[in-house]
Amino acid sequence: MKSIVHRACRGESESSRMNRATAKLLIERYFRQLTEGCGNGNCTNEFCASCCDFQPLDNNSAAAKALELFKINAKLCDYHPSITASADGSTQEDSKMSDKDPGFTKEDFSEVHHLTENTICTILSFCEEEGDYSALVRVIGRVFSNAEALMKSFRKDESNSTDNLESCKPADMKKDEKQSERSSEKTGASSAASLPGEALNEVFDACEVTVDIGAVRRVYDRLLSIDQLQGALVNALIYLTPNVELDLEYLDVYETNPDYLNIFIIVMENSNLHSPEYLEVALPQFCKAMSKLPVTALARLTKLWSKYDLPHIRRMMETFQQLITFTVVSNEYDGENLVNDDETVVAATQCLQVVFFASILGGDVDIEHNEEDEEDSDSDELTLHELLGEERLYKKGPRINPLEKELGVRPMDSIKPLIPFEDFINESLNDVIEMDKDFTFFKVNAETKFSFQTCPFILSVITKNQGLYYDNRIRMYSERRLTALFSMVQGQQPNPYLKLKVRRDHIIDDALVRLEMISMENPSDLKKQLYVEFEGEQGVDEGGVSKEFFQLVLEEIFNPDIGMFTYDNDTKLFWFNSSSLETEAQYTLIGIVLGLAIYNNCILDVHFPMVVYRKLMGKKGTYLDLSDSHPVLYQSLKGVLEYMGNVEEDMMMTFQISHTDLFGNPVIYDLKEQGDQIPVTKENRQEFVDLYADYILNKSVERQFKAFKKGFLMVTNESPLKYLFRPEEVELLICGSRKLDFEALEKTTEYDGGYSKDSQIIKDFWEVVHSFGEEQKRLFLQFTTGTDRAPVGGLGKLKMIIAKNGSDTDRLPTSHTCFNALLLPEYSSKEKLRERLLKAITYAKGFGML
């Protein structure tokens, strides 16, 4: 592998080399077509020597004409082997083979124009008897390089005999397989791959494909064990794919014959596609052809692959990932040579998307429990963005992935995919993406330029967060520009920021009144950059004051005495209080605060269960969500579902439930009409559990959550947040990471005022910090940065500055949270440093942080 990468890195780039190789191959095919023809006596292609109206050309004229046809993407014929009869009744092809292989007759293999399992078995038996595989090499090369021949191969309706295939296997292979079968029987292992042919086809029948996949797999198992055939398979794929790509792009062959999909099904069963000999030319060309399939064909392929067992679907995922990685490391990308322009990487990413959705469909999915989206009413009036010609950049609502729409399933519908989402992220690709350029393609040039944000599954949270950052900043600048424009027209003082002036001791009331006024009078102001000012305090908000504002608001809102949320001492999580007496406006305020935190790139110290983020993204809470939001209730309901005895008589439950509210008052609720008259039985217990979960997670808190979500969407409704991120990633954006790697923080910290990493006090400082316990480390982080969480990407992404603040003194260290700066006096001893630092971080609230 290293040698291949090395070769690819020398001289020209891999993509240009492959493009040149492809162009050369196509020109050669046009030349052969003009001089030799395609072998089809009924050919109607005017640029083919087999056409009855074709005027013969000499070699020089044919070469010039071939170049001309390449430039205009003229039609290429599929290759049909010549079967012209000779005087003795044999064909030309038979004669050629007979010269080399005595004993061949016209009934042998020259007339094999498509393959079946029986055909392969027959040829194999002959070749093994002769000790020469050249006949099989020719047949494989001929069929696998011809789209029509390959499409007709390995059909379910053709008679196949596994016994014949078994009989042509070498003895040692049979012995190994029998041992493997006995091992599977002992362990009870079973999979789609190990099913008998008929049973395997039944699994795939629902996908309406005509390929006998079991036969294809058995054939590949046999062919790939023969070294002489590897080159034939590679060369055939190189010869096949340019034609297929042209057919799909210009001739709409799939719409004419949906069985054209068989080509891709058969090729992808080759378990050697990830090997070096395919990575340079064959696989890139195949991916480009596959990316030209229409959405309906890709959806069929997705549904088929979702039926595959895990090893097969993982192999396909790794094949495309390896091609992406190989291509990325073999090239150099920069602002001029973007990875977005690399056809191989783009095509492989689009192919990987099919596997991604197959993994979702093949796993556990929930496409039913969706929250109702609150649609904005469209106005007939032109917006200022439209008048300025910027409507594409600021268009509302998330885009829809065509394949996602065709399948009717979204990543957020996935409960547990076959392959973990993290395995689809390609780190090598993430390292070379220029997100500012990619964002422009995503928002403006989507029709002409590929953006990797259209395939967000391949991007890490860090990379997607960069895209979100650009989106937020552009909206902020846009609102600032529009404000200036309106101010000029109306003669008013411009107000380019979302300014909040609050009192510390009335922070909720002041924030609530101000944000409520903005949300009613001019909601677009929420898209401006946040600027917080505490009344009676000096200071410029460059991030730190906003952080403290968010923290104080959350402390107040989540105070148990207010009663807006309930707190679980075991899970350390908050949940909406269904009996809260607070107004909906206060829940809306919390939603706005969460939205503003994402919009202004701030980390919040909030502790919600994952179901809150799932609901924000459009999913309803279900029974499975109770496992982290209400674990005690979850275990109780799980016990009901798994109970082996008489549910009705032993448990004596009905569809009427009761619980106590925050104030200790009993609350009775009928899950169904006259629920107290409906007993829970073995037959209806699943319905009981589903209705119970729906009440706890959705209906009982509907008023509170609806207001909360409304506030959140006021800020994020035009953001690509819902399109790019999954619920667990949204939690990471809002709350940051709980994992604190202070080793990474030490490596990225910068020094000022005379300090350096070699200063003795700096060495002592890091020894002290690394000796802190988890809680002390969080206090230090809170003191220095304004939050006790790591940003997306970890503490290594945090740029902290330690600056000298005078010589030895009794003064405490101070910090500028807006700059993540720690002002540290040069204490005389390590012990004094530790004592002063601990005191500062323990009693820091309200002072010491600027």
Side-chain angles (χ1 to χ4, degrees):
M1 183 69 181
K2 286 184 179 178
S3 63
I4 293 173
V5 173
H6 181 68
R7 287 202 309 273
C9 291
R10 288 202 308 257
E12 58 189 336
S13 71
E14 174 71 11
S15 59
S16 62
R17 192 181 62 74
M18 284 195 292
N19 288 341
R20 191 147 38 231
T22 304
K24 181 174 179 291
L25 178 67
L26 284 171
I27 293 171
E28 288 174 353
R29 289 189 59 194
Y30 281 119
F31 179 78
R32 283 198 300 272
Q33 182 173 291
L34 290 167
T35 55
E36 301 174 13
C38 66
N40 181 6
N42 298 318
C43 181
T44 57
N45 184 357
E46 60 179 315
F47 302 121
C48 178
S50 295
C51 177
C52 58
D53 298 327
F54 182 79
Q55 298 297 321
L57 300 171
D58 59 44
N59 285 350
N60 288 335
S61 301
K65 187 66 174 177
L67 186 60
E68 180 185 328
L69 294 180
F70 169 74
K71 290 179 180 178
I72 64 172
N73 284 330
K75 180 182 177 183
L76 268 169
C77 296
D78 283 334
Y79 174 64
H80 294 264
S82 174
I83 52 173
T84 308
S86 61
D88 61 357
S90 65
T91 63
Q92 289 180 3
E93 188 74 18
D94 287 334
S95 300
K96 291 177 184 177
M97 285 196 272
S98 296
D99 291 340
K100 187 171 183 179
D101 303 298
F104 270 47
T105 63
K106 69 176 183 178
E107 287 80 23
D108 287 315
F109 315 121
S110 59
E111 295 186 2
V112 173
H113 302 314
H114 68 277
L115 296 174
T116 67
E117 190 174 5
N118 285 342
T119 306
I120 293 291
C121 181
T122 303
I123 303 174
L124 268 172
S125 298
F126 174 85
C127 291
E128 285 168 357
E129 288 176 10
E130 297 290 317
D132 183 1
Y133 287 99
S134 56
L136 182 59
V137 168
R138 283 194 294 273
V139 173
I140 291 296
R142 185 168 68 244
V143 174
F144 273 75
S145 63
N146 185 302
E148 186 177 355
L150 191 57
M151 178 176 61
K152 293 178 179 178
S153 297
F154 308 112
R155 294 294 185 104
K156 289 178 184 176
D157 52 7
E158 302 240 10
S159 59
N160 289 300
S161 171
T162 306
D163 291 338
N164 285 344
L165 187 64
E166 294 292 334
S167 66
C168 66
K169 288 182 179 179
D172 57 344
M173 182 176 290
K174 294 181 190 176
K175 181 179 178 182
D176 290 342
E177 290 189 359
K178 286 180 180 178
Q179 289 177 347
S180 176
E181 285 173 11
R182 284 197 294 269
S183 175
S184 295
E185 288 172 7
K186 288 179 182 178
T187 59
S190 65
S191 67
S194 61
L195 290 172
E198 293 181 5
L200 187 62
N201 285 330
E202 287 177 8
V203 173
F204 302 130
D205 275 345
C207 303
E208 299 178 350
V209 293
T210 55
V211 178
D212 185 341
I213 295 173
V216 174
R217 290 179 179 176
R218 290 189 294 273
V219 166
Y220 268 123
D221 284 344
R222 193 68 185 89
L223 296 182
L224 296 179
S225 66
I226 303 171
D227 293 338
Q228 296 94 315
L229 289 175
Q230 305 315 304
L233 287 169
V234 174
N235 292 331
L237 189 58
I238 292 173
Y239 195 90
L240 168 76
T241 45
N243 258 359
V244 171
E245 184 180 353
L246 292 173
D247 286 348
L248 287 168
E249 192 163 9
Y250 299 111
L251 301 180
D252 298 328
V253 288
Y254 176 80
E255 287 76 2
T256 306
N257 186 359
D259 282 346
Y260 205 81
L261 192 65
N262 292 2
I263 296 170
F264 298 91
I265 296 171
I266 293 170
V267 171
M268 281 306 298
E269 287 300 322
N270 184 343
S271 59
N272 273 5
L273 285 178
H274 65 282
S275 59
E277 54 266 27
Y278 286 91
L279 285 176
E280 295 200 68
V281 180
L283 188 57
Q285 289 184 185
F286 174 77
C287 288
K288 290 173 193 174
M290 181 173 159
S291 67
K292 296 294 191 296
L293 282 168
V295 175
T296 50
L298 293 174
R300 279 184 66 204
L301 204 54
T302 303
K303 292 174 183 176
L304 172 67
W305 288 352
S306 72
K307 306 291 184 184
Y308 283 15
D309 59 348
L310 182 57
H312 279 87
I313 193 169
R314 178 170 284 280
R315 173 185 59 77
M316 290 189 288
M317 183 271 291
E318 291 173 348
T319 296
F320 294 129
Q321 285 281 36
Q322 191 156 346
L323 177 59
I324 294 169
T325 302
F326 170 77
T327 308
V328 167
V329 302
S330 301
N331 291 281
E332 292 184 6
Y333 303 100
D334 52 36
E336 299 298 322
N337 179 31
L338 298 173
V339 69
N340 304 67
D341 296 324
D342 192 312
E343 292 182 352
T344 298
V345 176
V346 169
T349 301
Q350 292 169 327
C351 294
L352 184 62
Q353 180 176 231
V354 178
V355 184
F356 174 74
F357 279 104
S359 172
I360 291 175
L361 279 179
D364 298 330
V365 290
D366 171 22
I367 59 175
E368 298 177 356
H369 301 92
N370 299 312
E371 297 273 8
E372 293 182 7
D373 288 330
E374 297 180 12
E375 298 291 341
D376 293 331
S377 57
D378 292 329
S379 171
D380 292 332
E381 298 180 11
L382 287 175
T383 65
L384 187 56
H385 287 310
E386 290 171 330
L387 291 172
L388 294 174
E390 300 174 341
E391 69 278 4
R392 286 188 301 169
L393 193 57
Y394 304 102
K395 54 192 174 188
K396 290 188 176 182
R399 65 179 69 228
I400 298 175
N401 184 306
L403 182 56
E404 179 181 301
K405 183 179 179 182
E406 183 73 23
L407 292 168
V409 66
R410 305 164 297 173
M412 74 176 70
D413 295 330
S414 176
I415 299 172
K416 184 180 180 182
L418 286 177
I419 301 173
F421 289 121
E422 295 75 18
D423 290 2
F424 285 92
I425 298 171
N426 189 295
E427 295 295 346
S428 298
L429 175 63
N430 279 262
D431 289 342
V432 298
I433 294 176
E434 301 277 345
M435 278 308 289
D436 54 341
K437 304 282 199 319
D438 193 90
F439 173 78
T440 304
F441 302 155
F442 181 64
K443 298 294 288 189
V444 182
N445 301 328
E447 293 82 8
T448 56
K449 285 282 192 176
F450 177 81
S451 165
F452 287 97
Q453 290 179 82
T454 60
C455 296
F457 60 86
I458 203 169
L459 303 177
S460 67
V461 180
I462 300 171
T463 306
K464 288 188 281 191
N465 191 40
Q466 282 183 295
L468 188 64
Y469 173 83
Y470 286 121
D471 185 80
N472 294 343
R473 285 296 176 269
I474 285 178
R475 290 185 190 279
M476 287 179 184
Y477 297 149
S478 169
E479 292 300 330
R480 194 178 299 176
R481 193 159 61 94
L482 293 182
T483 299
L485 187 59
F486 278 128
S487 300
M488 290 173 58
V489 173
Q490 298 173 357
Q492 297 177 354
Q493 185 71 21
N495 184 18
Y497 298 100
L498 170 59
K499 284 193 175 182
L500 294 180
K501 188 172 183 178
V502 295
R503 297 166 292 175
R504 282 187 180 271
D505 53 350
H506 294 84
I507 192 166
I508 294 297
D509 294 336
D510 292 351
L512 183 62
V513 169
R514 178 73 179 130
L515 290 173
E516 195 169 18
M517 286 179 57
I518 292 171
S519 63
M520 288 191 299
E521 294 176 2
N522 193 6
S524 63
D525 278 3
L526 295 172
K527 309 291 194 308
K528 295 178 180 177
Q529 186 173 348
L530 181 63
Y531 185 96
V532 177
E533 180 183 345
F534 286 105
E535 192 172 282
E537 299 180 20
Q538 292 183 345
V540 178
D541 185 6
E542 296 190 26
V545 181
S546 295
K547 288 180 184 178
E548 190 175 7
F549 164 75
F550 283 129
Q551 182 185 357
L552 293 174
V553 167
L554 292 174
E555 284 182 3
E556 186 87 13
I557 287 289
F558 287 101
N559 187 333
D561 295 336
I562 292 182
M564 291 182 66
F565 295 91
T566 60
Y567 182 70
D568 189 312
N569 287 310
D570 294 327
T571 63
K572 310 296 183 188
L573 298 174
F574 287 94
W575 183 247
F576 297 85
N577 179 12
S578 59
S579 308
S580 173
L581 303 177
E582 298 298 328
T583 64
E584 293 178 14
Q586 291 199 321
Y587 285 100
T588 302
L589 170 63
I590 293 297
I592 291 175
V593 166
L594 257 67
L596 287 175
I598 292 179
Y599 200 63
N600 290 272
N601 208 30
C602 286
I603 303 297
L604 300 183
D605 187 20
V606 295
H607 302 272
F608 282 132
M610 185 56 63
V611 65
V612 170
Y613 302 101
R614 283 172 51 79
K615 285 168 69 68
L616 282 175
M617 300 291 277
K619 297 299 293 184
K620 286 185 177 180
T622 64
Y623 158 67
L624 293 176
D625 293 310
L626 291 172
S627 61
D628 67 330
S629 65
H630 300 76
V632 176
L633 176 60
Y634 172 77
Q635 290 298 330
S636 298
L637 294 177
K638 186 179 179 184
V640 172
L641 292 176
E642 296 175 351
Y643 187 66
M644 302 298 291
N646 190 314
V647 176
E648 182 177 358
E649 294 181 3
D650 295 348
M651 296 191 171
M652 299 181 66
M653 296 186 300
T654 67
F655 274 72
Q656 184 181 79
I657 62 172
S658 64
H659 63 93
T660 56
D661 62 19
L662 192 65
F663 310 106
N665 302 317
V667 177
I668 297 175
Y669 180 78
D670 283 343
L671 297 175
K672 298 177 73 173
E673 190 174 346
Q674 295 184 335
D676 60 330
Q677 304 298 317
I678 306 174
V680 177
T681 65
K682 184 178 180 180
E683 288 71 27
N684 66 17
R685 59 182 172 180
Q686 184 65 60
E687 181 187 13
F688 170 78
V689 167
D690 291 340
L691 290 174
Y692 203 142
D694 183 49
Y695 170 73
I696 295 295
L697 298 176
N698 303 311
K699 291 183 177 177
S700 68
V701 295
E702 185 174 6
R703 177 181 68 87
Q704 294 86 345
F705 187 83
K706 190 173 182 180
F708 171 75
K709 185 177 181 180
K710 176 185 175 184
F712 184 76
L713 292 179
M714 281 182 182
V715 187
T716 63
N717 63 332
E718 297 178 11
S719 164
L721 182 76
K722 191 173 180 179
Y723 181 87
L724 293 177
F725 295 90
R726 302 189 308 276
E728 60 270 25
E729 294 174 325
V730 174
E731 182 192 30
L732 196 61
L733 288 179
I734 295 174
C735 306
S737 173
R738 293 182 175 88
K739 296 178 181 178
L740 302 182
D741 183 359
F742 273 78
E743 299 287 347
L745 179 62
E746 181 179 357
K747 291 177 182 176
T748 58
T749 296
E750 298 176 359
Y751 305 96
D752 196 12
Y755 284 158
S756 72
K757 66 177 182 178
D758 298 319
S759 301
Q760 186 57 47
I761 189 170
I762 296 300
K763 293 178 180 178
D764 292 342
F765 169 81
W766 285 114
E767 286 180 16
V768 169
V769 170
H770 290 313
S771 70
F772 282 170
E774 188 70 18
E775 185 59 31
Q776 290 173 327
K777 286 181 177 178
R778 293 193 180 281
L779 286 173
F780 169 76
L781 207 58
Q782 181 80 51
F783 175 77
T784 312
T785 68
T787 177
D788 67 351
R789 303 284 187 95
V792 173
L795 287 180
K797 298 293 181 180
L798 187 68
K799 299 298 182 185
M800 190 175 78
I801 300 171
I802 300 178
K804 186 174 181 178
N805 191 22
S807 56
D808 185 33
T809 178
D810 288 334
R811 287 184 292 115
L812 297 174
T814 55
S815 66
H816 292 295
T817 54
C818 51
F819 299 111
N820 299 327
L822 175 67
L823 307 181
L824 186 68
E826 192 171 10
Y827 296 114
S828 57
S829 68
K830 181 177 175 181
E831 291 71 24
K832 187 174 182 179
L833 167 63
R834 180 183 180 87
E835 184 268 331
R836 295 281 86 189
L837 184 58
L838 275 174
K839 195 166 188 177
I841 65 177
T842 306
Y843 303 104
K845 190 172 292 185
F847 66 92
M849 295 186 298
L850 303 177

